[in-house]
Short mmCIF file of all heavy atoms in Angstrom, two decimals:
data_model
loop_
_atom_site.label_atom_id
_atom_site.label_comp_id
_atom_site.label_asym_id
_atom_site.label_seq_id
_atom_site.Cartn_x
_atom_site.Cartn_y
_atom_site.Cartn_z
N MET A 13 17.22 68.16 -254.16
CA MET A 13 18.30 67.20 -253.91
C MET A 13 17.76 65.97 -253.18
O MET A 13 16.83 66.06 -252.41
CB MET A 13 19.39 67.86 -253.07
CG MET A 13 20.78 67.45 -253.53
SD MET A 13 22.07 68.09 -252.43
CE MET A 13 21.92 66.96 -251.06
N GLU A 14 18.37 64.86 -253.46
CA GLU A 14 17.94 63.60 -252.87
C GLU A 14 18.40 63.52 -251.41
O GLU A 14 19.55 63.83 -251.11
CB GLU A 14 18.59 62.47 -253.66
CG GLU A 14 17.86 61.16 -253.54
CD GLU A 14 18.52 60.08 -254.39
OE1 GLU A 14 19.75 59.98 -254.41
OE2 GLU A 14 17.78 59.33 -255.03
N THR A 15 17.51 63.13 -250.53
CA THR A 15 17.91 62.98 -249.14
C THR A 15 18.62 61.63 -248.97
O THR A 15 18.55 60.77 -249.85
CB THR A 15 16.70 63.01 -248.19
OG1 THR A 15 15.90 61.85 -248.44
CG2 THR A 15 15.88 64.26 -248.37
N ARG A 16 19.24 61.45 -247.80
CA ARG A 16 19.91 60.20 -247.50
C ARG A 16 18.93 59.03 -247.55
O ARG A 16 19.25 57.96 -248.03
CB ARG A 16 20.54 60.29 -246.11
CG ARG A 16 21.88 59.64 -246.02
CD ARG A 16 22.47 59.96 -244.71
NE ARG A 16 21.40 59.86 -243.71
CZ ARG A 16 21.58 59.50 -242.45
NH1 ARG A 16 22.77 59.24 -242.05
NH2 ARG A 16 20.58 59.43 -241.62
N GLN A 17 17.73 59.26 -247.03
CA GLN A 17 16.76 58.17 -247.01
C GLN A 17 16.23 57.84 -248.40
O GLN A 17 16.01 56.68 -248.73
CB GLN A 17 15.62 58.50 -246.05
CG GLN A 17 16.04 58.16 -244.64
CD GLN A 17 15.28 58.95 -243.61
OE1 GLN A 17 14.93 60.09 -243.84
NE2 GLN A 17 15.02 58.36 -242.49
N GLU A 18 16.06 58.86 -249.22
CA GLU A 18 15.66 58.60 -250.61
C GLU A 18 16.73 57.80 -251.33
O GLU A 18 16.43 56.90 -252.10
CB GLU A 18 15.42 59.92 -251.36
CG GLU A 18 14.07 60.53 -251.06
CD GLU A 18 13.95 61.96 -251.57
OE1 GLU A 18 14.97 62.57 -251.93
OE2 GLU A 18 12.83 62.45 -251.60
N ALA A 19 17.99 58.16 -251.07
CA ALA A 19 19.10 57.43 -251.70
C ALA A 19 19.11 55.99 -251.22
O ALA A 19 19.30 55.07 -252.02
CB ALA A 19 20.42 58.11 -251.36
N ALA A 20 18.88 55.78 -249.92
CA ALA A 20 18.86 54.42 -249.37
C ALA A 20 17.72 53.63 -250.01
O ALA A 20 17.91 52.47 -250.39
CB ALA A 20 18.68 54.48 -247.85
N LEU A 21 16.56 54.26 -250.16
CA LEU A 21 15.42 53.56 -250.74
C LEU A 21 15.69 53.19 -252.19
O LEU A 21 15.41 52.07 -252.60
CB LEU A 21 14.16 54.42 -250.62
CG LEU A 21 12.90 53.80 -251.22
CD1 LEU A 21 12.56 52.47 -250.56
CD2 LEU A 21 11.72 54.76 -251.11
N SER A 22 16.25 54.10 -252.96
CA SER A 22 16.45 53.76 -254.37
C SER A 22 17.51 52.67 -254.51
O SER A 22 17.41 51.83 -255.41
CB SER A 22 16.74 54.99 -255.23
OG SER A 22 17.97 55.53 -254.92
N ARG A 23 18.49 52.64 -253.61
CA ARG A 23 19.46 51.53 -253.62
C ARG A 23 18.76 50.19 -253.36
O ARG A 23 19.03 49.21 -254.03
CB ARG A 23 20.54 51.75 -252.55
CG ARG A 23 21.87 52.14 -253.12
CD ARG A 23 23.03 51.97 -252.14
NE ARG A 23 22.72 52.30 -250.77
CZ ARG A 23 22.80 53.51 -250.23
NH1 ARG A 23 23.20 54.53 -250.96
NH2 ARG A 23 22.50 53.70 -248.96
N LEU A 24 17.87 50.19 -252.37
CA LEU A 24 17.15 48.95 -252.05
C LEU A 24 16.26 48.52 -253.21
O LEU A 24 16.17 47.34 -253.54
CB LEU A 24 16.29 49.13 -250.79
CG LEU A 24 17.05 49.34 -249.48
CD1 LEU A 24 16.07 49.59 -248.34
CD2 LEU A 24 17.91 48.14 -249.16
N GLU A 25 15.60 49.49 -253.83
CA GLU A 25 14.67 49.14 -254.91
C GLU A 25 15.41 48.58 -256.11
O GLU A 25 14.87 47.78 -256.85
CB GLU A 25 13.81 50.35 -255.28
CG GLU A 25 12.84 50.67 -254.14
CD GLU A 25 11.71 51.61 -254.53
OE1 GLU A 25 11.96 52.52 -255.34
OE2 GLU A 25 10.60 51.43 -254.00
N LYS A 26 16.66 49.00 -256.30
CA LYS A 26 17.44 48.50 -257.44
C LYS A 26 18.09 47.15 -257.16
O LYS A 26 18.57 46.49 -258.07
CB LYS A 26 18.54 49.51 -257.81
CG LYS A 26 18.01 50.66 -258.60
CD LYS A 26 19.14 51.61 -258.96
CE LYS A 26 18.60 53.02 -259.16
NZ LYS A 26 19.45 54.03 -258.52
N ASN A 27 18.13 46.76 -255.90
CA ASN A 27 18.81 45.52 -255.52
C ASN A 27 17.89 44.33 -255.72
O ASN A 27 16.83 44.23 -255.09
CB ASN A 27 19.23 45.65 -254.05
CG ASN A 27 20.07 44.47 -253.59
OD1 ASN A 27 20.01 43.38 -254.16
ND2 ASN A 27 20.86 44.70 -252.57
N SER A 28 18.29 43.41 -256.59
CA SER A 28 17.40 42.29 -256.92
C SER A 28 17.26 41.29 -255.78
O SER A 28 16.36 40.46 -255.80
CB SER A 28 17.89 41.58 -258.18
OG SER A 28 19.20 41.12 -257.98
N ARG A 29 18.14 41.32 -254.81
CA ARG A 29 18.00 40.43 -253.65
C ARG A 29 16.95 40.93 -252.67
O ARG A 29 16.55 40.20 -251.77
CB ARG A 29 19.33 40.33 -252.89
CG ARG A 29 20.32 39.43 -253.54
CD ARG A 29 21.56 39.39 -252.68
NE ARG A 29 22.56 38.53 -253.25
CZ ARG A 29 22.68 37.23 -252.96
NH1 ARG A 29 21.87 36.68 -252.10
NH2 ARG A 29 23.61 36.52 -253.53
N VAL A 30 16.57 42.17 -252.81
CA VAL A 30 15.58 42.74 -251.89
C VAL A 30 14.18 42.43 -252.41
O VAL A 30 13.84 42.74 -253.55
CB VAL A 30 15.79 44.27 -251.75
CG1 VAL A 30 14.67 44.90 -250.93
CG2 VAL A 30 17.14 44.56 -251.13
N GLY A 31 13.39 41.77 -251.58
CA GLY A 31 12.02 41.44 -251.95
C GLY A 31 11.10 42.59 -251.64
O GLY A 31 10.71 43.37 -252.51
N LYS A 32 10.77 42.72 -250.38
CA LYS A 32 9.95 43.84 -249.95
C LYS A 32 10.78 44.76 -249.09
O LYS A 32 11.91 44.43 -248.70
CB LYS A 32 8.75 43.33 -249.17
CG LYS A 32 7.82 42.53 -250.06
CD LYS A 32 6.52 42.24 -249.36
CE LYS A 32 5.61 41.50 -250.33
NZ LYS A 32 4.20 41.71 -250.00
N ILE A 33 10.22 45.91 -248.80
CA ILE A 33 10.92 46.88 -247.98
C ILE A 33 10.08 47.22 -246.77
O ILE A 33 8.90 47.55 -246.90
CB ILE A 33 11.25 48.14 -248.82
CG1 ILE A 33 12.22 47.74 -249.93
CG2 ILE A 33 11.85 49.23 -247.93
CD1 ILE A 33 12.35 48.74 -251.04
N ARG A 34 10.69 47.06 -245.60
CA ARG A 34 9.98 47.37 -244.36
C ARG A 34 10.28 48.79 -243.94
O ARG A 34 11.41 49.24 -244.05
CB ARG A 34 10.48 46.45 -243.25
CG ARG A 34 9.60 45.26 -243.07
CD ARG A 34 10.04 44.47 -241.85
NE ARG A 34 10.05 43.08 -242.24
CZ ARG A 34 11.02 42.23 -242.00
NH1 ARG A 34 12.07 42.61 -241.32
NH2 ARG A 34 10.94 41.01 -242.43
N LEU A 35 9.27 49.43 -243.43
CA LEU A 35 9.46 50.75 -242.86
C LEU A 35 9.40 50.58 -241.34
O LEU A 35 8.40 50.14 -240.80
CB LEU A 35 8.37 51.68 -243.38
CG LEU A 35 8.65 53.17 -243.28
CD1 LEU A 35 7.84 53.92 -244.31
CD2 LEU A 35 8.35 53.69 -241.91
N ILE A 36 10.52 50.85 -240.71
CA ILE A 36 10.65 50.66 -239.27
C ILE A 36 10.49 52.01 -238.58
O ILE A 36 11.07 53.00 -239.02
CB ILE A 36 12.05 50.09 -238.92
CG1 ILE A 36 12.40 48.89 -239.80
CG2 ILE A 36 12.16 49.77 -237.43
CD1 ILE A 36 11.61 47.65 -239.54
N VAL A 37 9.71 52.02 -237.51
CA VAL A 37 9.52 53.28 -236.79
C VAL A 37 10.12 53.16 -235.39
O VAL A 37 10.25 52.06 -234.86
CB VAL A 37 8.03 53.70 -236.70
CG1 VAL A 37 7.38 53.69 -238.08
CG2 VAL A 37 7.24 52.79 -235.77
N ALA A 38 10.47 54.28 -234.80
CA ALA A 38 11.01 54.30 -233.44
C ALA A 38 9.92 53.91 -232.45
O ALA A 38 8.73 54.05 -232.72
CB ALA A 38 11.53 55.70 -233.13
N ILE A 39 10.36 53.40 -231.29
CA ILE A 39 9.42 52.97 -230.25
C ILE A 39 8.49 54.11 -229.84
O ILE A 39 7.31 53.90 -229.61
CB ILE A 39 10.22 52.43 -229.03
CG1 ILE A 39 10.75 51.04 -229.37
CG2 ILE A 39 9.36 52.40 -227.76
CD1 ILE A 39 11.65 50.46 -228.32
N ASP A 40 9.01 55.31 -229.76
CA ASP A 40 8.19 56.45 -229.36
C ASP A 40 7.82 57.33 -230.55
O ASP A 40 7.69 58.54 -230.43
CB ASP A 40 8.94 57.27 -228.31
CG ASP A 40 10.26 57.82 -228.84
OD1 ASP A 40 10.72 57.34 -229.90
OD2 ASP A 40 10.82 58.71 -228.20
N ALA A 41 7.66 56.71 -231.71
CA ALA A 41 7.35 57.48 -232.92
C ALA A 41 5.99 58.18 -232.80
O ALA A 41 5.12 57.73 -232.06
CB ALA A 41 7.35 56.56 -234.13
N CYS A 42 5.84 59.24 -233.53
CA CYS A 42 4.59 60.00 -233.52
C CYS A 42 3.52 59.22 -234.31
O CYS A 42 3.83 58.30 -235.05
CB CYS A 42 4.83 61.37 -234.14
SG CYS A 42 5.00 61.32 -235.91
N PRO A 43 2.24 59.61 -234.17
CA PRO A 43 1.16 58.88 -234.85
C PRO A 43 1.33 58.82 -236.37
O PRO A 43 1.03 57.80 -236.99
CB PRO A 43 -0.10 59.67 -234.47
CG PRO A 43 0.25 60.39 -233.21
CD PRO A 43 1.72 60.65 -233.28
N ALA A 44 1.81 59.89 -236.97
CA ALA A 44 1.98 59.91 -238.43
C ALA A 44 2.98 58.84 -238.87
O ALA A 44 2.77 58.15 -239.87
CB ALA A 44 2.45 61.28 -238.89
N CYS A 45 4.05 58.69 -238.12
CA CYS A 45 5.06 57.67 -238.44
C CYS A 45 4.51 56.27 -238.19
O CYS A 45 4.69 55.38 -239.01
CB CYS A 45 6.32 57.89 -237.62
SG CYS A 45 7.26 59.33 -238.14
N ARG A 46 3.82 56.10 -237.07
CA ARG A 46 3.24 54.79 -236.75
C ARG A 46 2.32 54.29 -237.84
O ARG A 46 2.28 53.09 -238.13
CB ARG A 46 2.42 54.89 -235.47
CG ARG A 46 3.22 54.54 -234.27
CD ARG A 46 2.38 54.67 -233.02
NE ARG A 46 3.24 55.05 -231.93
CZ ARG A 46 4.11 54.20 -231.39
NH1 ARG A 46 4.19 52.97 -231.81
NH2 ARG A 46 4.90 54.60 -230.44
N ARG A 47 1.57 55.20 -238.44
CA ARG A 47 0.65 54.80 -239.50
C ARG A 47 1.39 54.23 -240.70
O ARG A 47 0.83 53.48 -241.48
CB ARG A 47 -0.19 56.00 -239.96
CG ARG A 47 -1.54 56.10 -239.25
CD ARG A 47 -2.49 57.03 -239.98
NE ARG A 47 -1.96 58.38 -240.10
CZ ARG A 47 -2.07 59.32 -239.15
NH1 ARG A 47 -2.71 59.04 -238.04
NH2 ARG A 47 -1.55 60.51 -239.32
N GLN A 48 2.64 54.63 -240.87
CA GLN A 48 3.40 54.17 -242.05
C GLN A 48 4.16 52.88 -241.79
O GLN A 48 4.75 52.32 -242.71
CB GLN A 48 4.43 55.23 -242.44
CG GLN A 48 3.85 56.58 -242.66
CD GLN A 48 4.52 57.25 -243.83
OE1 GLN A 48 4.09 57.07 -244.95
NE2 GLN A 48 5.57 57.99 -243.57
N GLU A 49 4.20 52.44 -240.55
CA GLU A 49 4.96 51.24 -240.22
C GLU A 49 4.41 50.05 -241.00
O GLU A 49 3.20 49.89 -241.13
CB GLU A 49 4.84 50.97 -238.72
CG GLU A 49 5.64 49.76 -238.28
CD GLU A 49 5.59 49.56 -236.77
OE1 GLU A 49 4.65 50.05 -236.12
OE2 GLU A 49 6.51 48.91 -236.26
N GLY A 50 5.32 49.21 -241.50
CA GLY A 50 4.84 48.02 -242.19
C GLY A 50 5.77 47.60 -243.31
O GLY A 50 6.86 48.13 -243.48
N GLU A 51 5.29 46.63 -244.09
CA GLU A 51 6.08 46.06 -245.17
C GLU A 51 5.44 46.47 -246.49
O GLU A 51 4.23 46.37 -246.63
CB GLU A 51 6.05 44.54 -245.02
CG GLU A 51 7.22 43.86 -245.65
CD GLU A 51 7.25 42.38 -245.28
OE1 GLU A 51 6.49 41.62 -245.90
OE2 GLU A 51 8.00 42.02 -244.37
N TYR A 52 6.26 46.90 -247.43
CA TYR A 52 5.74 47.44 -248.69
C TYR A 52 6.41 46.78 -249.88
O TYR A 52 7.57 46.38 -249.81
CB TYR A 52 6.00 48.95 -248.77
CG TYR A 52 5.25 49.73 -247.72
CD1 TYR A 52 5.82 49.97 -246.48
CD2 TYR A 52 3.97 50.22 -247.97
CE1 TYR A 52 5.13 50.68 -245.50
CE2 TYR A 52 3.28 50.93 -247.01
CZ TYR A 52 3.87 51.16 -245.78
OH TYR A 52 3.19 51.86 -244.83
N ASP A 53 5.65 46.71 -250.98
CA ASP A 53 6.23 46.28 -252.25
C ASP A 53 7.07 47.43 -252.80
O ASP A 53 6.76 48.59 -252.57
CB ASP A 53 5.13 45.95 -253.25
CG ASP A 53 4.41 44.67 -252.88
OD1 ASP A 53 5.08 43.71 -252.45
OD2 ASP A 53 3.17 44.63 -253.02
N LYS A 54 8.09 47.07 -253.58
CA LYS A 54 8.90 48.09 -254.24
C LYS A 54 8.00 49.01 -255.06
O LYS A 54 7.07 48.54 -255.71
CB LYS A 54 9.92 47.43 -255.17
CG LYS A 54 11.04 46.76 -254.42
CD LYS A 54 12.00 46.11 -255.40
CE LYS A 54 13.14 45.44 -254.65
NZ LYS A 54 14.09 44.79 -255.56
N GLY A 55 8.29 50.28 -255.02
CA GLY A 55 7.50 51.24 -255.77
C GLY A 55 6.29 51.75 -255.01
O GLY A 55 5.60 52.64 -255.48
N HIS A 56 6.02 51.15 -253.84
CA HIS A 56 4.87 51.58 -253.04
C HIS A 56 5.28 51.99 -251.64
O HIS A 56 4.46 51.98 -250.73
CB HIS A 56 3.83 50.45 -252.97
CG HIS A 56 3.31 50.06 -254.31
ND1 HIS A 56 2.26 50.72 -254.91
CD2 HIS A 56 3.72 49.12 -255.18
CE1 HIS A 56 2.06 50.17 -256.10
NE2 HIS A 56 2.92 49.21 -256.29
N VAL A 57 6.55 52.28 -251.48
CA VAL A 57 7.07 52.58 -250.15
C VAL A 57 6.87 54.08 -249.87
O VAL A 57 7.24 54.90 -250.69
CB VAL A 57 8.57 52.21 -250.06
CG1 VAL A 57 9.08 52.36 -248.64
CG2 VAL A 57 8.80 50.79 -250.56
N PRO A 58 6.29 54.41 -248.73
CA PRO A 58 6.12 55.83 -248.40
C PRO A 58 7.46 56.53 -248.27
O PRO A 58 8.44 55.92 -247.87
CB PRO A 58 5.40 55.81 -247.04
CG PRO A 58 4.95 54.43 -246.82
CD PRO A 58 5.79 53.53 -247.65
N GLU A 59 7.49 57.80 -248.59
CA GLU A 59 8.76 58.49 -248.48
C GLU A 59 9.07 58.88 -247.04
O GLU A 59 8.18 59.06 -246.22
CB GLU A 59 8.80 59.70 -249.41
CG GLU A 59 7.68 60.68 -249.20
CD GLU A 59 7.78 61.83 -250.21
OE1 GLU A 59 7.83 61.56 -251.42
OE2 GLU A 59 7.79 62.99 -249.76
N LEU A 60 10.36 58.98 -246.77
CA LEU A 60 10.85 59.43 -245.46
C LEU A 60 11.70 60.67 -245.67
O LEU A 60 12.32 60.80 -246.70
CB LEU A 60 11.72 58.33 -244.82
CG LEU A 60 10.99 57.07 -244.37
CD1 LEU A 60 11.99 56.09 -243.78
CD2 LEU A 60 9.90 57.38 -243.36
N PRO A 61 11.81 61.56 -244.71
CA PRO A 61 11.07 61.58 -243.46
C PRO A 61 9.55 61.69 -243.67
O PRO A 61 9.11 62.27 -244.67
CB PRO A 61 11.61 62.82 -242.74
CG PRO A 61 12.29 63.64 -243.77
CD PRO A 61 12.72 62.71 -244.85
N THR A 62 8.81 61.11 -242.74
CA THR A 62 7.36 61.09 -242.81
C THR A 62 6.81 62.51 -242.91
O THR A 62 7.18 63.38 -242.15
CB THR A 62 6.80 60.43 -241.52
OG1 THR A 62 7.39 59.15 -241.38
CG2 THR A 62 5.28 60.30 -241.59
N ARG A 63 5.92 62.68 -243.89
CA ARG A 63 5.21 63.96 -243.99
C ARG A 63 4.34 64.15 -242.76
O ARG A 63 3.61 63.23 -242.40
CB ARG A 63 4.27 63.91 -245.19
CG ARG A 63 4.78 64.61 -246.40
CD ARG A 63 3.76 64.40 -247.49
NE ARG A 63 4.41 63.82 -248.66
CZ ARG A 63 4.77 64.57 -249.71
NH1 ARG A 63 4.48 65.83 -249.75
NH2 ARG A 63 5.38 64.01 -250.72
N GLY A 64 4.40 65.30 -242.15
CA GLY A 64 3.55 65.58 -241.01
C GLY A 64 4.07 64.99 -239.72
O GLY A 64 3.34 64.92 -238.74
N CYS A 65 5.32 64.55 -239.71
CA CYS A 65 5.91 64.02 -238.48
C CYS A 65 5.90 65.10 -237.41
O CYS A 65 6.32 66.22 -237.65
CB CYS A 65 7.33 63.54 -238.74
SG CYS A 65 8.11 62.90 -237.25
N SER A 66 5.39 64.74 -236.22
CA SER A 66 5.24 65.76 -235.16
C SER A 66 6.17 65.50 -233.99
O SER A 66 6.05 66.12 -232.95
CB SER A 66 3.79 65.77 -234.68
OG SER A 66 3.45 64.50 -234.16
N HIS A 67 7.09 64.55 -234.13
CA HIS A 67 7.97 64.24 -233.00
C HIS A 67 9.03 65.33 -232.83
O HIS A 67 9.59 65.79 -233.81
CB HIS A 67 8.65 62.89 -233.22
CG HIS A 67 9.22 62.31 -231.96
ND1 HIS A 67 10.42 62.74 -231.45
CD2 HIS A 67 8.74 61.39 -231.11
CE1 HIS A 67 10.66 62.07 -230.33
NE2 HIS A 67 9.65 61.24 -230.10
N PRO A 68 9.29 65.75 -231.57
CA PRO A 68 10.29 66.80 -231.34
C PRO A 68 11.69 66.46 -231.86
O PRO A 68 12.44 67.35 -232.24
CB PRO A 68 10.31 66.97 -229.81
CG PRO A 68 9.42 65.91 -229.24
CD PRO A 68 8.60 65.33 -230.34
N LEU A 69 12.03 65.18 -231.89
CA LEU A 69 13.35 64.80 -232.42
C LEU A 69 13.29 64.56 -233.93
O LEU A 69 14.25 64.11 -234.52
CB LEU A 69 13.86 63.53 -231.74
CG LEU A 69 14.15 63.64 -230.25
CD1 LEU A 69 14.56 62.29 -229.69
CD2 LEU A 69 15.24 64.67 -229.99
N ARG A 70 12.14 64.84 -234.53
CA ARG A 70 11.90 64.62 -235.95
C ARG A 70 11.81 63.14 -236.27
O ARG A 70 12.07 62.28 -235.45
CB ARG A 70 13.01 65.24 -236.82
CG ARG A 70 13.16 66.70 -236.52
CD ARG A 70 13.38 67.44 -237.83
NE ARG A 70 13.97 68.73 -237.56
CZ ARG A 70 15.09 69.15 -238.10
NH1 ARG A 70 15.74 68.39 -238.95
NH2 ARG A 70 15.53 70.33 -237.82
N CYS A 71 11.47 62.90 -237.52
CA CYS A 71 11.23 61.53 -237.98
C CYS A 71 12.51 60.71 -237.90
O CYS A 71 13.55 61.11 -238.40
CB CYS A 71 10.76 61.58 -239.43
SG CYS A 71 10.39 59.96 -240.09
N ARG A 72 12.42 59.57 -237.24
CA ARG A 72 13.59 58.67 -237.15
C ARG A 72 13.28 57.32 -237.77
O ARG A 72 13.86 56.31 -237.40
CB ARG A 72 14.03 58.51 -235.69
CG ARG A 72 14.70 59.78 -235.14
CD ARG A 72 14.56 59.87 -233.65
NE ARG A 72 13.15 59.87 -233.32
CZ ARG A 72 12.63 59.32 -232.22
NH1 ARG A 72 13.40 58.73 -231.36
NH2 ARG A 72 11.35 59.37 -232.01
N CYS A 73 12.31 57.30 -238.68
CA CYS A 73 11.97 56.06 -239.37
C CYS A 73 13.13 55.68 -240.30
O CYS A 73 13.89 56.53 -240.74
CB CYS A 73 10.74 56.25 -240.24
SG CYS A 73 9.29 56.77 -239.32
N PHE A 74 13.20 54.39 -240.61
CA PHE A 74 14.21 53.97 -241.60
C PHE A 74 13.71 52.75 -242.35
O PHE A 74 12.73 52.13 -241.95
CB PHE A 74 15.57 53.72 -240.94
CG PHE A 74 15.55 52.64 -239.88
CD1 PHE A 74 15.85 51.32 -240.21
CD2 PHE A 74 15.22 52.95 -238.57
CE1 PHE A 74 15.83 50.33 -239.24
CE2 PHE A 74 15.20 51.96 -237.59
CZ PHE A 74 15.50 50.65 -237.93
N TYR A 75 14.39 52.46 -243.45
CA TYR A 75 14.02 51.33 -244.30
C TYR A 75 14.87 50.12 -243.96
O TYR A 75 16.05 50.25 -243.67
CB TYR A 75 14.25 51.68 -245.77
CG TYR A 75 13.46 52.85 -246.25
CD1 TYR A 75 14.11 53.98 -246.73
CD2 TYR A 75 12.07 52.83 -246.26
CE1 TYR A 75 13.40 55.07 -247.19
CE2 TYR A 75 11.35 53.91 -246.72
CZ TYR A 75 12.02 55.03 -247.19
OH TYR A 75 11.31 56.10 -247.64
N GLU A 76 14.25 48.96 -244.07
CA GLU A 76 14.98 47.71 -243.86
C GLU A 76 14.53 46.74 -244.95
O GLU A 76 13.35 46.54 -245.15
CB GLU A 76 14.64 47.16 -242.48
CG GLU A 76 15.52 46.02 -242.07
CD GLU A 76 15.12 45.49 -240.71
OE1 GLU A 76 14.20 44.68 -240.65
OE2 GLU A 76 15.73 45.93 -239.72
N PRO A 77 15.50 46.14 -245.65
CA PRO A 77 15.13 45.23 -246.73
C PRO A 77 14.70 43.86 -246.24
O PRO A 77 15.18 43.40 -245.21
CB PRO A 77 16.42 45.10 -247.53
CG PRO A 77 17.51 45.35 -246.54
CD PRO A 77 16.95 46.32 -245.54
N THR A 78 13.79 43.23 -246.95
CA THR A 78 13.47 41.83 -246.75
C THR A 78 14.18 41.09 -247.87
O THR A 78 13.88 41.31 -249.04
CB THR A 78 11.95 41.60 -246.89
OG1 THR A 78 11.31 42.39 -245.90
CG2 THR A 78 11.58 40.16 -246.67
N LEU A 79 15.17 40.27 -247.52
CA LEU A 79 15.98 39.65 -248.56
C LEU A 79 15.29 38.40 -249.11
O LEU A 79 14.67 37.65 -248.38
CB LEU A 79 17.36 39.27 -248.01
CG LEU A 79 18.20 40.46 -247.54
CD1 LEU A 79 19.53 39.97 -246.98
CD2 LEU A 79 18.43 41.45 -248.64
N ILE A 80 15.44 38.21 -250.42
CA ILE A 80 14.87 37.04 -251.07
C ILE A 80 15.68 35.79 -250.73
O ILE A 80 15.15 34.74 -250.45
CB ILE A 80 14.81 37.26 -252.60
CG1 ILE A 80 13.75 38.32 -252.91
CG2 ILE A 80 14.51 35.96 -253.33
CD1 ILE A 80 13.76 38.79 -254.34
N GLU A 81 16.98 35.93 -250.76
CA GLU A 81 17.86 34.81 -250.46
C GLU A 81 18.79 35.21 -249.33
O GLU A 81 19.22 36.35 -249.28
CB GLU A 81 18.85 34.63 -251.61
CG GLU A 81 18.47 33.89 -252.78
CD GLU A 81 19.58 34.01 -253.79
OE1 GLU A 81 20.54 33.24 -253.66
OE2 GLU A 81 19.51 34.84 -254.70
N ILE A 82 19.15 34.27 -248.52
CA ILE A 82 20.14 34.52 -247.48
C ILE A 82 21.52 34.22 -248.06
O ILE A 82 21.70 33.26 -248.79
CB ILE A 82 19.89 33.60 -246.26
CG1 ILE A 82 18.45 33.76 -245.78
CG2 ILE A 82 20.89 33.85 -245.16
CD1 ILE A 82 18.07 35.14 -245.31
N PHE A 83 22.46 35.07 -247.74
CA PHE A 83 23.83 34.81 -248.20
C PHE A 83 24.36 33.53 -247.56
O PHE A 83 24.09 33.29 -246.39
CB PHE A 83 24.73 35.99 -247.82
CG PHE A 83 24.53 37.19 -248.68
CD1 PHE A 83 23.57 38.13 -248.33
CD2 PHE A 83 25.26 37.37 -249.82
CE1 PHE A 83 23.36 39.24 -249.12
CE2 PHE A 83 25.05 38.49 -250.62
CZ PHE A 83 24.11 39.42 -250.27
N PRO A 84 25.12 32.73 -248.32
CA PRO A 84 25.63 31.48 -247.75
C PRO A 84 26.66 31.74 -246.64
O PRO A 84 27.20 32.78 -246.56
CB PRO A 84 26.29 30.78 -248.91
CG PRO A 84 26.30 31.70 -250.06
CD PRO A 84 25.52 32.92 -249.71
ZN1 LIG B 128 7.17 61.04 -236.77
#
């Protein structure tokens, strides 16, 4: 079954206003999550929750779109 984050990612990838997709990590994210932080092209975005996440509260990374155009 698709997770909430997978669903969010596929929505962003289908949205033509979205240029790139940023992976945002929590301030106290574990090393595995920190390594994934950054901006990615569509189709090259790492999946969430992060594989090997070692944080006691679990992976709290999320996706944020980079918009091509700003709404008027
Ligand atoms: Zn983590």
Side-chain angles (χ1 to χ4, degrees):
M13 220 186 77
E14 202 178 43
T15 66
R16 219 172 42 149
Q17 278 156 326
E18 280 168 347
L21 179 59
S22 68
R23 252 196 324 273
L24 293 177
E25 291 194 325
K26 281 181 206 136
N27 186 336
S28 59
R29 282 181 180 268
V30 173
K32 294 191 177 206
I33 296 164
R34 264 187 225 133
L35 200 156
I36 311 291
V37 308
I39 284 174
D40 61 345
C42 74
C45 289
R46 267 179 211 289
R47 266 196 301 276
Q48 305 219 87
E49 182 176 23
E51 204 171 80
Y52 295 90
D53 289 320
K54 287 179 179 179
H56 299 275
V57 187
E59 56 182 54
L60 291 179
T62 305
R63 259 177 235 260
C65 179
S66 60
H67 197 281
L69 295 176
R70 304 221 199 125
C71 182
R72 288 154 301 146
C73 301
F74 60 93
Y75 300 119
E76 191 181 83
T78 300
L79 297 179
I80 290 170
E81 277 174 82
I82 306 299
F83 285 89

